[in-house]
Amino acid sequence: TDRSLPSLAAGKDGVMRAEDLFVFVGAGASRPAPTALLTFNEIRDSVLRDLDLGEYVARDPRAQPDLVRIASAIFPERFLLGLHESGLDLEVWLGDALGRVRPNAAHGVMAQLAANGAKVWTVNYDHNIEEAGTRPLDVVAWPDEPRNADLVKPHGTLGGQLIATAEQVVRGLGEPWLRQLERDLDGRATVAFLGY
């Protein structure tokens, strides 16, 4: 297959190759259809409505501006920590919420890039990139030991343990994961962020 990409930051021959690229993929990559993943704000508001706390939700008939501002200031990881502390099994809940979506074109491009030598890291738990590929990708996900792989998931993957709460996120990557990140960035001509 042709492993070249349109010239973004082309090498000496004027062509950028997949192996010249490092991509960080965030949740925004899953917004376009058919994935149509909800934003954190939409998920938060849905959970608040389910808990009969509509006064914290903008555009709810019971909305109170001061309470809406409080809810709007909550970071995703802090919100997930609160759900976890209330006894919710986050892995099961997130699996239910994310396991029903289908890959979109962005996932297909990421799978193709990863298969052709780009380094692709994602903090997304879903399997959309893996499922979008034409061939199986080698995937490594936390809490496994990091290694050279097609797709790297430092926050975990559905079906396994996840880094989802504020306490886990602020801890940062462990030393082995930082070393793997350094190795994967080494020699890459271009670093791109998709979906942040």
Side-chain angles (χ1 to χ4, degrees), residues 38-149:
L38 299 176
T39 65
F40 167 71
N41 292 342
E42 293 165 328
I43 293 169
R44 178 201 62 223
D45 291 350
S46 176
V47 169
L48 290 171
R49 276 191 214 93
D50 288 349
L51 294 171
D52 197 28
L53 296 171
E55 60 271 18
Y56 289 87
V57 180
R59 293 181 300 281
D60 185 281
R62 300 170 292 161
Q64 296 179 24
D66 289 345
L67 298 179
V68 169
R69 261 193 308 283
I70 289 170
S72 297
I74 299 172
F75 288 102
E77 295 82 8
R78 185 69 195 137
F79 187 76
L80 293 173
L81 177 61
L83 292 175
H84 173 72
E85 289 174 343
S86 72
L88 179 71
D89 186 331
L90 282 180
E91 280 86 3
V92 170
W93 182 72
L94 287 166
D96 288 345
L98 300 174
R100 297 184 298 260
V101 298
R102 293 185 336 202
N104 62 34
H107 300 124
V109 170
M110 291 303 103
Q112 183 178 1
L113 286 171
N116 287 325
K119 287 297 177 185
V120 179
W121 279 53
T122 184
V123 292
N124 298 344
Y125 311 124
D126 60 61
H127 299 140
N128 288 321
I129 295 173
E130 298 97 301
E131 292 174 3
T134 57
R135 73 159 179 86
L137 294 175
D138 180 29
V139 180
V140 64
W142 180 90
D144 292 342
E145 282 296 311
R147 59 181 165 70
N148 186 27

